[in-house]
Amino acid sequence: MSVGKAVGSFVTVAAILARATAYGVRAALTKRAVERLEKRYHDRADSARYLSEAMGKLKVDEPTTTAYMEVSTLSEAMAANVAGIVGRADSLQANAQGLSEATEAEHGRMRDANRTHTVQMAQAKFIQPR
């Protein structure tokens, strides 16, 4: 399995670190998107409940008011389901952050060593497999 950008068939340390950081960013974006989805379901439930109650006061037929209340109930149920996904998105974000930190701890020292070494490095075409 290939990870990140490679020079020839070698994976670069910078690519590994960038990929680990990208996982964290994607996890955070996913969590925010799921949180927005949960809010939309709550908003729709509130709206449907308000309409059902208003129609009841205006003496609109019962099947219509009941249908709106059912939409409200189902929207709240969907919001609760999405809340479970938000919890899992929290875990995903925490795991991605841990991955990024572990990768930085493990491979960051190689990057730092490559930046500060005094030995001349071989040219890329010299170290490519034949």
Side-chain angles (χ1 to χ4, degrees):
M1 179 164 79
S2 174
V3 178
K5 296 178 179 132
V7 176
S9 64
F10 299 99
V11 176
T12 65
V13 173
I16 291 171
L17 294 172
R19 180 66 64 120
T21 300
Y23 284 139
V25 170
R26 286 187 201 135
L29 292 173
T30 299
K31 180 184 172 206
R32 280 188 289 231
V34 174
E35 287 171 337
R36 285 191 308 270
L37 181 62
E38 180 185 15
K39 183 179 179 339
R40 276 184 278 191
Y41 276 117
H42 280 299
D43 290 346
R44 291 197 173 100
D46 291 344
S47 177
R49 187 178 313 103
Y50 170 80
L51 289 171
S52 176
E53 291 168 357
M55 284 187 274
K57 290 177 183 176
L58 294 172
K59 307 287 189 226
V60 174
D61 62 293
E62 190 170 326
T64 302
T65 58
T66 302
Y68 273 88
M69 192 53 79
E70 187 174 332
V71 167
S72 173
T73 303
L74 291 173
S75 294
E76 283 296 342
M78 287 300 298
N81 289 337
V82 172
I85 296 170
V86 169
R88 288 180 183 91
D90 281 337
S91 297
L92 174 65
Q93 184 177 8
N95 289 340
Q97 181 64 33
L99 169 67
S100 180
E101 290 168 0
T103 302
E104 178 68 33
E106 190 66 28
H107 298 288
R109 66 178 190 261
M110 287 187 280
R111 179 194 58 212
D112 295 340
N114 284 337
R115 286 183 187 156
T116 61
H117 68 79
T118 57
V119 178
Q120 184 177 359
M121 297 299 287
Q123 293 180 356
K125 68 180 184 176
F126 176 78
I127 60 174
Q128 287 180 347
R130 296 175 191 213

